[in-house]
Amino acid sequence: MTEHPTSHEGRQPLAARPQERTRPRQRDAAVAAAAAATAIPAPTKGPAGAAPDPQAATRREGDRLRFVGAATRRIARGIDLDEIVLGLCRASVPTFSDAILVYLRDPLPVGDERPVNPFVLRLRRSDRLRLTDEETESLSETERLRLPAVDPQADLMPAAELCEVRAGSALAEVLRGVRPVFGDSAAARVALPELLGADRTVPSGHRVILAPLRGRRRVIGAAVFLRGAERPAFEANDLLVAAQLATHTALGIDKAVLYGREAYIADELQRTMLPDSLPQPTGVKLASRYLPAAETARVGGDWYDAIPLPGSRVALVVGDVMGHSMTSAAIMGQLRTTAQTLAGLDLPPQEVLHHLDEQAQRLGSDRMATCLYAVYDPVAHRITVANAGHPPPVLLHLGGRAEVLRVPPGAPIGVGGVDFEAVELDAPAGATLLLYTDGLVESRLRDVWTGIELLRERLAATARLTGPDHSPPLEALCDDVLDMLGPGDRDDDIALLAARFDGIAPSDVAYWFLDPDDSAPGRARRLARRALGRWGLDDLSDSVELLISEVVTNAVRYAERPVTLRLLRTETLRCEVGDDSPQLPRQRRAKDMDENGRGLFLVNRLARRWGATRLSTGKVVWFEMPTGGR
């Protein structure tokens, strides 16, 4: 049970707001409590035998209507479950009752799903009128006389935390009846002990209304309104008031539960649409951020992705589907999956955008999106960029200069009938590429180009803090970029992808062409041995020569053009063998008498990782070996 001070606007737990217990607020709380005794006045009686005053009755009904209107508005303002229950408590205490208990089904059923058994009610919230001597000192004598005589030590609301509603019990019958009942009715006298607990009773002289909370399809809880002996007794019309409060609360709870489920589904959808974690490709470091447009619009059409490609390259993608709804998120998921598939085929960036445009047209005539697709090659220190109506990326150089890259703007995806262009640019080591959606730079308060200029200036200012010889940390850089958003800048969701180009030095790369004949495996072993000797990795020589020999032998069997062999030395040793045959090798278990079929089995057992990727000109088979913590 929680206890709350009273005020004309509402109450919060005393322990939660000690700093606000100032004398003006105490006076407001006490005045509101004093006014509560006359907010819904008791019937007035004339001389003995005289008829009730019709004007007084009219005033009482008007007071009830005004109270119900104000209370239902307060309940309706709540969005989530706690706000709605709190609205009921604050609307009821002290104006309608001195105390209230709100029980809700545990767990609450959602929509049309069948509730679980057994039927358990849990005390969700309680509220009561309780004034201290300090709070009443500042009241006038007249206000003090109008206060209900509440004993600070009295427990007006004895209640159990949990209650199991057994089928056929008196409590089950009252809840099934839906209508509120007085506590002294025959049904409530048996039902209340079941709800409050067998050893708990309502204090003597207090009046109670037990009101079931019924949603659209089923009973979801109960509310207990209690008045002390000092207050006028509940009247028959007060049952209608309790029914109105219970109905609005129950319907609001139903909607809040549905909203909570929808928000959960939206969060799960967005989580599954975006990558759980970014890969760690060779020669580049990555960081990302995603911000929804608002708490009430948690899904949108913005996405980002980083896709490892053959040859230690990586594709960097950022896109924005029109709108920020569940439909936009679904379309985004389809386009992202298509982009991943096209990236696996190692198509040029402009071809990827062309196929994305065709896919968007197949999804519908109004499926529009912008997208920027870039491929970074850490060996060549170059980046190839193609754009489909997306804001241009910003490149932050090591010295602190921020540059908006000049890339062809292109038409958005889904327009159809347009060509996309790609441009190849330098990607120097230590530079940082920032890809983003328009929600970061465009809002009601500024246009997109003004926002891009602000972003460029922000990146340059951040780089100056770390000095000309050091790049700012990626995670901190992403946070600093998002800090540039003001209160009016969150009109759209935001996707952000930052890539730090480390590159691979030429001295750490060895590359050869091998003729597709029987001498190729032996020559590949000799070349690999020399390269490992130069790099001080002689301890890997035996394993690497064995695996290279197996992979090159398999490539020579099907290749018609020269086979490529490349070794890359970074945190790991990566070996790549390419040929012009599109058929991917598959690992299989060789029989005891077979002479072939054990090559990939050895690769799988000895290498840390291995894989095969189909290219437009053939395929690449690669494997990685640890270098002993270099």
Side-chain angles (χ1 to χ4, degrees):
M1 180 181 70
T2 56
E3 299 177 354
H4 305 272
T6 58
S7 72
H8 65 287
E9 289 296 332
R11 294 146 303 283
Q12 292 187 9
L14 294 178
R17 302 177 62 183
Q19 72 278 11
E20 295 186 9
R21 295 197 57 183
T22 59
R23 186 168 296 275
R25 184 173 295 274
Q26 294 163 2
R27 178 179 177 85
D28 291 343
V31 169
T38 58
I40 303 181
T44 57
K45 295 182 180 180
D53 184 359
Q55 293 184 352
T58 301
R59 286 195 300 270
R60 289 198 306 275
E61 293 310 311
D63 291 337
R64 283 194 179 90
L65 290 175
R66 283 190 290 273
F67 165 72
V68 170
T72 53
R73 285 194 299 272
R74 170 169 281 180
I75 295 169
R77 283 200 296 265
I79 296 178
D80 60 26
L81 187 61
D82 291 331
E83 288 179 348
I84 292 170
V85 175
L86 179 60
L88 171 64
C89 293
R90 289 183 171 178
S92 302
V93 179
T95 308
F96 183 67
S97 62
D98 294 334
I100 184 174
L101 299 169
V102 181
Y103 283 87
L104 294 181
R105 197 162 189 158
D106 186 23
L108 278 168
V110 180
D112 296 331
E113 70 180 19
R114 293 180 62 86
V116 298
N117 289 320
F119 185 173
V120 176
L121 293 178
R122 179 182 293 275
L123 182 62
R124 183 78 183 195
R125 187 177 181 88
S126 61
D127 204 352
R128 62 169 293 178
L129 168 65
R130 183 169 179 176
L131 301 177
T132 64
D133 294 338
E134 182 183 1
E135 292 172 331
T136 59
E137 285 179 357
S138 60
L139 295 180
S140 65
E141 185 66 24
T142 303
E143 292 171 336
R144 195 177 295 114
L145 291 175
R146 294 170 58 187
L147 280 174
V150 178
D151 181 3
Q153 304 302 322
D155 187 2
L156 294 181
M157 295 160 38
E161 183 73 18
L162 289 175
C163 167
E164 181 177 345
V165 183
R166 295 181 298 276
S169 65
L171 179 57
E173 293 301 318
V174 171
L175 296 179
R176 190 173 64 176
V178 179
R179 296 180 179 179
V181 295
F182 287 124
D184 56 359
S185 65
R189 280 198 299 268
V190 182
L192 279 173
E194 295 180 14
L195 180 64
L196 302 179
D199 56 342
R200 304 168 191 265
T201 59
V202 177
S204 177
H206 293 75
R207 287 87 167 191
V208 174
I209 289 180
L210 174 58
L213 301 179
R214 179 177 177 84
R216 293 189 308 120
R217 296 184 180 274
R218 59 183 63 87
V219 174
I220 59 174
V224 179
F225 303 94
L226 186 144
R227 281 187 185 177
E230 306 79 13
R231 289 282 292 273
F234 287 115
E235 302 179 20
N237 286 343
D238 289 328
L239 291 179
L240 300 178
V241 174
Q244 286 289 324
L245 297 179
T247 299
H248 282 272
T249 301
L251 293 178
I253 289 173
D254 256 357
K255 294 177 181 178
V257 172
L258 287 172
Y259 169 76
R261 172 61 63 87
E262 184 176 310
Y264 169 78
I265 294 174
D267 287 340
E268 286 296 301
L269 177 63
Q270 191 67 56
R271 185 184 63 81
T272 55
M273 291 297 183
L274 296 175
D276 290 334
S277 60
L278 293 173
Q280 298 178 347
T282 303
V284 61
K285 295 182 177 65
L286 302 172
S288 63
R289 294 291 186 274
Y290 175 81
L291 290 180
E295 285 298 316
T296 54
R298 304 186 184 201
V299 294
D302 291 15
W303 89 91
Y304 61 87
D305 216 340
I307 309 167
L309 300 177
S312 298
R313 296 169 300 146
V314 59
L316 307 174
V317 191
V318 64
D320 183 2
V321 177
M322 180 178 60
H324 43 79
S325 62
M326 301 283 275
T327 302
S328 300
I331 296 172
M332 175 265 285
Q334 295 180 72
L335 293 180
R336 179 179 174 234
T337 301
T338 303
Q340 290 177 329
T341 304
L342 296 171
L345 299 176
D346 198 29
L347 297 178
Q350 64 271 24
E351 288 297 319
V352 172
L353 294 185
H354 174 72
H355 289 291
L356 284 176
D357 180 59
E358 292 180 338
Q359 175 67 7
Q361 293 179 70
R362 284 191 290 266
L363 294 175
S365 58
D366 59 344
R367 307 311 189 198
M368 304 284 290
T370 63
C371 183
L372 191 141
Y373 188 95
V375 175
Y376 170 62
D377 188 341
V379 177
H381 295 268
R382 303 281 288 178
I383 185 168
T384 305
V385 185
N387 189 16
H390 203 79
V394 179
L395 184 66
L396 179 62
H397 293 267
L398 183 60
R401 181 173 63 93
E403 174 189 7
V404 179
L405 297 183
R406 296 182 178 180
V407 297
I413 290 173
V415 172
V418 296
D419 292 329
F420 299 98
E421 300 180 38
V423 59
E424 188 174 347
L425 304 169
D426 287 329
T432 302
L433 184 70
L434 196 72
L435 308 180
Y436 53 91
T437 55
D438 59 357
L440 180 66
V441 294
E442 185 179 23
S443 70
R444 290 170 294 176
L445 305 179
R446 64 181 179 223
D447 61 77
V448 61
W449 289 108
T450 301
I452 292 175
E453 181 61 22
L454 290 175
L455 174 61
R456 189 193 65 79
E457 293 174 356
R458 186 63 173 251
L459 290 174
T462 302
R464 285 194 295 268
L465 297 177
T466 58
D469 300 328
H470 297 86
S471 301
L474 274 186
E475 297 293 338
L477 180 66
C478 290
D479 292 336
D480 194 60
V481 166
L482 294 180
D483 285 343
M484 66 180 277
L485 297 173
D489 294 338
R490 292 289 300 279
D491 299 329
D492 197 1
D493 48 339
I494 298 170
L496 181 66
L497 179 63
R500 171 72 41 74
F501 299 144
D502 294 332
I504 300 176
S507 59
D508 291 329
V509 181
Y511 191 86
W512 304 279
F513 288 95
L514 305 173
D515 292 329
D517 53 33
D518 294 341
S519 64
R523 183 165 179 252
R525 290 194 297 270
R526 293 191 298 272
L527 294 172
R529 187 185 310 118
R530 294 172 189 169
L532 295 177
R534 292 196 308 269
W535 293 336
L537 300 176
D538 299 277
D539 54 334
L540 297 178
S541 181
D542 291 341
S543 298
V544 171
E545 286 184 44
L546 174 61
L547 300 187
I548 285 179
S549 179
E550 294 293 341
V551 176
V552 171
T553 298
N554 188 71
V556 168
R557 183 177 297 129
Y558 302 102
E560 297 181 359
R561 297 177 181 177
V563 175
T564 60
L565 172 63
R566 184 165 75 165
L567 298 181
L568 302 173
R569 181 185 64 161
T570 55
E571 291 81 3
T572 62
L573 177 68
R574 182 181 176 98
C575 173
E576 299 172 350
V577 177
D579 60 72
D580 59 350
S581 173
Q583 182 178 358
L584 297 180
R586 298 185 182 278
Q587 182 182 350
R588 64 182 180 90
R589 183 174 295 276
K591 298 179 181 180
D592 294 340
M593 302 302 295
D594 289 347
E595 297 183 1
N596 300 318
R598 294 182 174 84
L600 290 182
F601 178 77
L602 292 174
V603 174
N604 187 63
R605 291 296 299 271
L606 298 179
R608 191 179 74 171
R609 291 195 311 156
W610 76 279
T613 305
R614 183 178 285 110
L615 306 177
S616 57
T617 57
K619 68 175 180 293
V620 168
V621 180
W622 58 270
F623 63 86
E624 293 179 350
M625 302 288 288
T627 58
R630 174 186 176 270

